[in-house]
Amino acid sequence: MNKKRVQRLWREEGLRVPHRGRKQPLRGISGHVGSFCPIAPDVTWALDFPFDQTSHGGRLKLLNIVDEFTREALAVEVEHRINGEDVTLILDRLVAARGTAPKYLRFDHGPEFIADVMARWANDQATTCMFIDPGSPWQNAWIESFNGRLRDECLNIEQFDSLLEAKVVIGDWRIDYNTRRPHSALDNLTPADFHGLWQRQRSTLLNSHR
C-alpha cells in the first residue's frame, strides 16, 4: 500500500479532508501577545513548561518563570505534575517575595494557563494575560532563550535518579544563572546584578526629584 494507491482510493470513495471548526474563545481569560519590551522589573513575566525525565524514565515537568526585563529566572519548579492551581500557588509565592504582581503574564495556550483558576488569579492581581499565537514560540522569545540555555547547560548534561535530585541540581543551576552568569543583553551583568543596579539608579533618581 503506497501513497499513490491511498490517494486513488481516497478519491474513488469521495472522501474529503475534515473541516476544521473555528477555535473557541478562551474561557475566563483574555489578552493579546503584544510586541512591547518591558521597561522595568516585574512588568512582564514569561512562563513555559519544558519536560525531562529521570534515569528510570519518570516524567519531570518544569515550570520556568522569567522576568523579561532583568532576565532573572524567578522560578524553575520541578515536579511530576503541575496543574493550573499549582501555577497560581507558585505565582503567589513569587508575588510575596517580589512585593508586587506583574502587570503582564506571557505564555502559550497550554491547559494550565487557560484554566479558570488562572483567570481568577489574574483578575484578583489586576494582571493581564498575553497569549502567544499557537505554534509561534518565537513570540515568547525570552523564555525560549532561557529554556535553551537550561537544556544545554543542565538538562542535557545531568542525569537525575529521582525527583529530589532534579530539584536540587536544577535549583543550584538557577541560582548560578541568576548570580554568576553575565548576560550580553544586560551589559555583561548577571541578572541579579542588573536588577540591583536598576533599583539603585531608580532610588537615586527619585531622591533627586524630592
Side-chain angles (χ1 to χ4, degrees):
M1 180 66 73
N2 58 33
K3 179 180 179 181
K4 290 183 178 179
R5 187 175 184 186
V6 171
Q7 291 176 337
R8 178 174 59 80
L9 293 174
W10 186 274
R11 289 193 299 268
E12 289 177 356
E13 294 297 326
L15 301 175
R16 296 289 184 270
V17 176
H19 175 69
R20 297 182 65 179
R22 188 174 182 177
K23 292 182 179 179
Q24 297 297 316
L26 296 172
R27 294 178 300 140
I29 195 165
S30 62
H32 53 85
V33 175
S35 59
F36 65 88
C37 293
I39 59 173
D42 301 316
V43 172
T44 305
W45 294 355
L47 292 74
D48 197 25
F49 284 111
F51 293 88
D52 203 58
Q53 64 180 19
T54 67
S55 58
H56 306 293
R59 184 193 196 201
L60 295 176
K61 186 173 184 179
L62 287 68
L63 172 60
N64 292 345
I65 304 179
V66 171
D67 185 299
E68 291 189 358
F69 181 73
T70 66
R71 305 299 201 273
E72 290 172 284
L74 304 180
V76 181
E77 296 294 322
V78 188
E79 299 291 348
H80 291 308
R81 299 178 185 84
I82 301 176
N83 58 28
E85 184 174 358
D86 296 329
V87 174
T88 63
L89 293 175
I90 294 167
L91 289 172
D92 279 337
R93 189 188 71 206
L94 291 178
V95 169
R98 305 282 284 191
T100 184
K103 300 297 183 184
Y104 303 93
L105 293 176
R106 193 192 305 269
F107 37 51
D108 59 25
H109 293 76
E112 302 87 356
F113 300 139
I114 65 173
D116 289 338
V117 66
M118 276 294 296
R120 292 192 295 271
W121 187 91
N123 182 68
D124 291 343
Q125 299 290 339
T127 296
T128 299
C129 296
M130 301 189 298
F131 294 94
I132 68 173
D133 294 330
S136 305
W138 57 86
Q139 293 180 349
N140 205 356
W142 286 274
I143 197 74
E144 290 296 332
S145 176
F146 176 79
N147 290 348
R149 178 171 288 192
L150 171 62
R151 191 162 296 281
D152 290 342
E153 297 181 3
C154 184
L155 302 184
N156 288 345
I157 297 175
E158 302 289 347
Q159 178 173 290
F160 309 118
D161 291 329
S162 66
L163 174 62
L164 178 59
E165 182 180 8
K167 285 176 176 286
V168 172
V169 173
I170 295 173
D172 287 345
W173 182 90
R174 185 185 73 86
I175 294 173
D176 185 74
Y177 169 85
N178 282 335
T179 61
R180 299 182 181 178
R181 304 289 186 90
H183 200 299
S184 59
L186 305 176
D187 294 330
N188 289 319
L189 296 174
T190 68
D193 287 342
F194 180 79
H195 189 187
L197 176 63
W198 184 90
Q199 288 180 316
R200 291 192 296 273
Q201 290 177 339
R202 180 175 180 272
S203 179
T204 300
L205 182 62
L206 291 175
N207 289 334
S208 66
H209 285 80
R210 290 179 179 175

